[in-house]
Amino acid sequence: MTQTVPLPLGLPMERDAGPFDPPRDITRLREARPVSPLIFPDGHEGWLVTGYDAVRQLMADTRFSSRQDIGVLHVPYETPGMPAMTEPSPQVPGLFIAMDPPDHTRLRRKLTGAFTVKRMKRLEEHISDIVERQLDEMARLAPPVDLVKAFALPVPSLVICEMLGVPYEDRESFQANSATFMEKDVALDDKMAAYTGLTTYLAELVSRKRATPGEDILSDLARDDDLSIEELTGIAFLLLLAGHETTANQLALGTFALLEHPEQAAALRAEPDLLPDAVEELMRYLSVADIFYRYATEDIELGGETIGKGSTVVVSLLAANHDPRRFDNPDALDVHRRARGHLSFGHGVHQCLGQQLARIEMRAGFGGLLRRFPTLQLAVPADEVKLRTDMNIYGVHALPVTWTETER
């Protein structure tokens, strides 16, 4: 007889095994049953997938749909002010992350030229210059400083604004709106106001670019008459949000992890050539974007279980990235590890379009910090660092740091 596992309120749950580790309940569940039936708080039955092999297989199988308009997303945590979702969410034009082929293919294909490995390589030196300038700014500050405000957020914001053609001076508005939109426990009216504020701003921006295009990604897209203003707005929303939120949190949380594992930071300072592998390991270890949803479009066998047509499936990339069947001693941070094959950028048709850009930013960011601030340390006890357990992308709200010397 199969046992249905009640889904704990608050998923994604707080990382109660430590700020960098998967929740204990998720870990126990993965070891016992990597593909587990569960019951959402509203009584709806679904599935939770936590094993590496099962997650990888699911994300490569387009029969598991990303479209929220074909089935109700049963919210796995209660949000004050958010009504129970009893109707499918309509598709948002341009938001291809929530689409399936061929709609997803049509829109994503229009962006592949902008994010090729070759084009990213050409940008690498420029991104390094942006990082160094921001480190110069940080070095001029009197410690302690908040690494999020001084470095982790400005770097990817500067990069993505420049690439998209979004005026950097508008950052306070779009960063505030994106933070509200990404917050879990926020009233529906506030969340919708933030979303409307972002999309209204971006609709005006892409309309201007269609009339007078410049030399940037949004202008290139605006020249394409096949894309409507609504689709351009949705694409811009997705690229701007993903382009600064995930990398900013990865830089801040990754620095926190290195400061809490000084032997790993020392290894990177001694051998900078380890940085590419270290970035992959930090991506695996931290998994800042953890929970994703899929919807079964037919009965599908997965991990020895039959997932029925119409089922809502919750996927934990964090649990998969810490699966001991795939990674030895997975709860340890090891910058010497070859962590290629981690799932932090996703897998299959929805694999992160900007992953090469993120890798370049992180290599430059972590490398620059370790080189320029050899005595960098936390300015508060580790347990006083405020974690982003209230947000849909994990990280830290602030990371107070200090140092006694800097280097060029």
Side-chain angles (χ1 to χ4, degrees):
M1 175 185 255
T2 60
Q3 180 181 4
T4 301
V5 182
L7 180 66
L9 293 178
L11 184 73
M13 293 175 291
E14 291 189 14
R15 305 189 183 201
D16 55 357
F20 314 117
D21 298 318
R24 291 184 178 92
D25 285 346
I26 289 284
T27 297
R28 284 192 289 265
L29 191 60
R30 182 193 60 218
E31 300 314 305
R33 197 171 182 184
V35 180
S36 300
L38 56 80
I39 299 175
F40 289 99
D42 65 357
H44 168 72
E45 292 190 6
W47 294 83
L48 175 63
V49 184
T50 52
Y52 177 91
D53 288 340
V55 168
R56 187 178 170 89
Q57 181 182 336
L58 178 151
M59 298 190 86
D61 191 336
T62 54
R63 294 177 299 169
F64 287 103
S65 174
S66 298
R67 290 175 51 183
Q68 293 181 18
D69 64 319
I70 66 171
V72 179
L73 172 59
H74 296 260
V75 182
Y77 45 82
E78 293 179 346
T79 305
M82 288 284 280
M85 296 180 71
T86 57
E87 297 295 331
S89 302
Q91 277 201 288
V92 177
L95 210 67
F96 57 90
I97 196 173
M99 295 178 181
D100 298 333
D103 296 327
H104 169 269
T105 310
R106 168 183 161 261
L107 293 177
R108 183 176 170 116
R109 189 174 288 150
K110 294 181 182 297
L111 283 161
T112 51
F115 289 95
T116 60
V117 174
K118 190 174 182 180
R119 186 166 181 175
M120 292 303 102
K121 277 287 185 187
R122 289 203 301 268
L123 277 171
E124 193 159 1
E125 186 176 344
H126 182 56
I127 291 170
S128 293
D129 289 342
I130 289 174
V131 167
E132 289 301 318
R133 287 199 300 271
Q134 202 59 42
L135 289 169
D136 289 342
E137 291 287 327
M138 182 169 148
R140 283 192 279 270
L141 300 174
V145 304
D146 174 13
L147 189 87
V148 174
K149 289 183 179 177
F151 183 73
L153 184 55
V155 166
S157 296
L158 279 161
V159 172
I160 200 64
C161 281
E162 189 170 311
M163 288 184 67
L164 296 182
V166 175
Y168 185 62
E169 56 268 24
D170 296 343
R171 67 190 180 281
E172 287 190 14
S173 175
F174 74 69
Q175 285 172 357
N177 280 328
S178 66
T180 300
F181 182 75
M182 296 299 290
E183 190 173 349
K184 289 187 291 195
D185 298 332
V186 67
L188 178 61
D189 287 349
D190 292 337
K191 190 178 284 279
M192 291 310 298
Y195 174 74
T196 301
L198 267 170
T199 52
T200 300
Y201 166 75
L202 290 170
E204 293 171 353
L205 181 67
V206 296
S207 295
R208 291 199 303 271
K209 289 182 181 296
R210 173 149 283 177
T212 313
E215 298 299 320
D216 54 73
I217 289 175
L218 292 184
S219 290
D220 290 346
L221 292 169
R223 291 185 179 96
D224 188 341
D225 292 334
D226 183 47
L227 292 170
S228 67
I229 291 296
E230 290 76 20
E231 286 178 321
L232 285 168
T233 301
I235 292 171
F237 172 80
L238 184 59
L239 294 180
L240 184 61
L241 200 68
H244 80 277
E245 275 283 348
T246 49
T247 307
N249 283 293
Q250 183 69 29
L251 282 170
L253 191 66
T255 302
F256 184 23
L258 289 171
L259 294 179
E260 284 296 280
H261 297 82
E263 76 289 350
Q264 301 297 313
L268 281 178
R269 285 194 180 97
E271 294 183 71
D273 288 347
L274 289 174
L275 263 172
D277 284 341
V279 164
E280 302 304 318
E281 170 66 350
L282 285 164
M283 290 290 300
R284 178 203 70 82
Y285 182 63
L286 300 173
S287 303
V288 297
D290 176 15
I291 298 297
F292 289 83
Y293 302 91
R294 294 292 186 266
Y295 311 93
T297 58
E298 59 184 79
D299 292 352
I300 306 170
E301 294 292 322
L302 183 70
E305 309 282 355
T306 300
I307 296 180
K309 180 179 179 180
S311 295
T312 300
V313 184
V314 181
V315 182
S316 174
L317 300 188
L318 173 65
N321 279 334
H322 283 248
D323 190 339
R325 298 175 184 88
R326 175 61 178 81
F327 299 102
D328 292 335
N329 195 16
D331 294 340
L333 175 64
D334 180 3
V335 296
H336 293 89
R337 188 196 305 271
R338 297 284 294 176
R340 304 281 171 173
H342 67 78
L343 298 173
S344 294
F345 287 120
H347 183 62
V349 298
H350 286 285
Q351 192 170 36
C352 177
L353 192 62
Q355 60 181 289
Q356 299 305 332
L357 175 63
R359 286 184 169 106
I360 291 168
E361 290 177 285
M362 284 186 279
R363 288 198 297 266
F366 290 127
L369 271 175
L370 291 169
R371 185 185 76 255
R372 296 284 300 275
F373 296 86
T375 58
L376 192 71
Q377 62 186 56
L378 290 178
V380 297
D383 60 5
E384 291 183 15
V385 174
K386 189 179 178 187
L387 301 168
R388 285 170 55 106
T389 53
D390 57 335
M391 308 295 280
N392 287 318
I393 301 291
Y394 188 60
V396 295
H397 283 289
L399 190 69
V401 294
T402 188
W403 59 86
T404 56
E405 60 182 90
T406 61
E407 294 185 4
R408 285 299 305 173

